[in-house]
């Protein structure tokens, strides 16, 4: 059973320091590569799906969260306000109020909809020390968040497309959803009191799930304070379940912020706000990837994709030339030379690297490398150009197969 906290430190991906504080991990170079690659992948996926990316501040005035409802319904999970002169500002608990203001900043027509706004942005939760752990429960979160502002008639299709985007990402990441949950409100004052808005949003999400052909279970008490949501659940190797991705339909915040668009009839209409997160928090996503793959990431996501191992010092110069060529083609490659130990010890040290290229005297003289794959296969000695072409092809494909026929 893999524990991302142990593996993360063993593989030099992330760590913590008491002076930074509990729940505030920092990313080491290899972990930063995984994170950056994952973030760029999500941006690319979103751009292809018609999303426009924005940046918004991690601070907001308390008044903003009073309007959104966070202050009334989510205050216990927020950091205390900071006094700045006559104003109070708060570390944001979510990105949706900021995106509502971005929508509201311009006049919108029905022809502009759906408007898809995405951001990989920071948010903060005042988690108690007892629940913090590794990357799964942290106080500073980078959220892959997006909001689609659309007409009521467009909401089901936009939410359904978001679920398809999530499924595509999971396939590329080599992970799977354990189940889908329709999260509904429970008792108490945690939720906004507007039964009609809840009824409409719940009916639309049931239609999304039914028309997507997904089995799901309803769970009371798991909704966001402003509306129901579809939670895409994952399960770690220890059998613990968590939410990674979500799709929500929200009538509440468009009303609170007075959002509108001009319809074909020339009148003002209220948009629907579809909240959508493909990989949820980057921290939790990386934690799950570490555990699901035992630190042996898919080739396109691996911190090092190719390890070149010269047998003796006489082949080191040629090994560095191979690495330079690999890097020029966009690969992440490193030399692991004889100074690091015997060839056997070096091969064991890079066992999680997808591709290993051994370079002996015969290979160096013939412009070849002896290829070893992480899964134990040995395609043999091949020309350097062919090896790099095949590796770049598999990395670009983002598939699970490490090697394809010529």
């Amino acid at each position: 059973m893999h524990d991302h906290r142990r593996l993360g430190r063993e593989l030099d991906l992330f760590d913590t320091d008491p002076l930074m504080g509990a729940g505030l991990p920092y990313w080491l170079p290899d972990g930063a590569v995984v994170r950056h690659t994952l973030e760029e992948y999500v941006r690319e996926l979103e751009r292809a799906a018609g999303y426009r990316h924005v940046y918004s501040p991690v601070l907001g005035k308390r008044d903003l969260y009073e309007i959104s409802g966070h202050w009334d319904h989510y205050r216990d999970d927020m950091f205390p306000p900071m006094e700045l002169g006559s104003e109070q500002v708060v570390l944001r608990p979510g990105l949706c109020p900021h995106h509502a203001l971005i929508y509201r900043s311009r006049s919108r027509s029905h022809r502009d909809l759906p408007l898809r706004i995405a951001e990989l942005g920071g948010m903060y939760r005042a988690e108690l020390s007892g629940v913090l752990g590794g990357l799964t429960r942290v106080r500073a979160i980078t959220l892959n968040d997006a909001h689609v502002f659309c007409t009521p008639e467009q909401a089901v299709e936009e939410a359904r497309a978001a679920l398809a985007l999530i499924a595509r990402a999971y396939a590329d990441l080599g992970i799977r959803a354990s189940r889908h949950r329709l999260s509904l409100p429970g008792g108490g004052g945690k939720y906004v009191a507007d039964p009609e808005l809840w009824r409409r949003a719940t009916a639309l999400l049931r239609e999304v799930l039914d028309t997507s052909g997904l089995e799901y279970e309803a769970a009371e008490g798991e909704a966001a304070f402003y509306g129901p949501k579809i939670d895409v659940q994952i399960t770690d190797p220890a059998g613990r379940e968590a939410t990674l991705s979500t799709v929500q339909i929200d009538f509440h915040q468009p009303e609170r912020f007075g959002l509108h668009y001009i319809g074909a009839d020339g009148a003002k209409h209220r948009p629907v706000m579809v909240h959508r997160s493909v990989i949820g928090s980057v921290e939790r996503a990386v934690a799950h990837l570490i555990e699901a793959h035992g630190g042996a990431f898919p080739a396109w996501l691996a911190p090092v994709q190719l390890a070149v191992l010269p047998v003796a010092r006489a082949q080191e110069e040629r090994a560095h030339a191979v690495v330079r060529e690999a890097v020029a083609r966009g690969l992440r490659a490193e030399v692991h030379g004889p100074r690091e130990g015997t060839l056997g010890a070096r091969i064991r040290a890079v066992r999680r690297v997808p591709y290993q290229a051994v370079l002996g005297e015969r290979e160096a003289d013939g412009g070849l490398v002896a290829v070893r794959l992480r899964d134990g296969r040995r395609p043999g000695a091949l020309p350097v150009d062919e090896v790099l072409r095949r590796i770049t092809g598999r990395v670009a494909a983002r598939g699970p197969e490490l090697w394809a026929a010529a």
Side-chain angles (χ1 to χ4, degrees), residues 1-2 4 136 178 234-242 287-288 291-292:
M1 185 174 68
H2 303 297
H4 83 276
T136 54
S178 53
I234 55 170
T235 303
D236 70 13
R240 295 178 296 243
E241 188 180 85
H288 186 64
E291 295 185 346

Side-chain angles (χ1 to χ4, degrees), residues 1-42:
M1 185 174 68
H2 303 297
D3 184 329
H4 83 276
R5 292 167 296 184
R6 178 185 61 79
L7 271 176
R9 287 169 174 81
E10 179 185 323
L11 300 177
D12 286 334
L13 300 177
F14 68 90
D15 214 329
T16 57
D17 190 293
L19 279 177
M20 289 190 190
L24 299 169
Y26 59 84
W27 298 79
L28 295 163
D30 279 355
V33 168
V34 174
R35 172 175 170 160
H36 177 79
T37 305
L38 182 59
E39 291 176 350
E40 284 305 299
Y41 164 74
V42 169

Side-chain angles (χ1 to χ4, degrees), residues 2-3 20 58 62 79 84 95 101 107 143 158 192 215 255 257 274 276 300 320 346 360 363-364 366 372 387:
H2 303 297
D3 184 329
M20 289 190 190
V58 298
R62 172 177 160 175
F79 283 94
L84 288 179
L95 281 66
L101 293 184
S107 176
L143 188 65
E158 288 299 316
V192 296
E215 294 184 4
E255 185 172 289
F257 283 101
V274 177
R276 183 247 66 191
W300 66 272
H320 283 286
R346 284 179 279 146
E363 288 82 15
R372 304 169 64 103
V387 170

Side-chain angles (χ1 to χ4, degrees), residues 294-322:
F297 296 100
W300 66 272
L301 196 57
V304 178
Q305 295 163 324
L306 172 65
V308 181
L309 301 105
V311 173
R313 292 189 179 183
Q315 291 89 49
E316 282 189 311
E317 184 177 340
R318 178 60 184 152
H320 283 286
V322 172

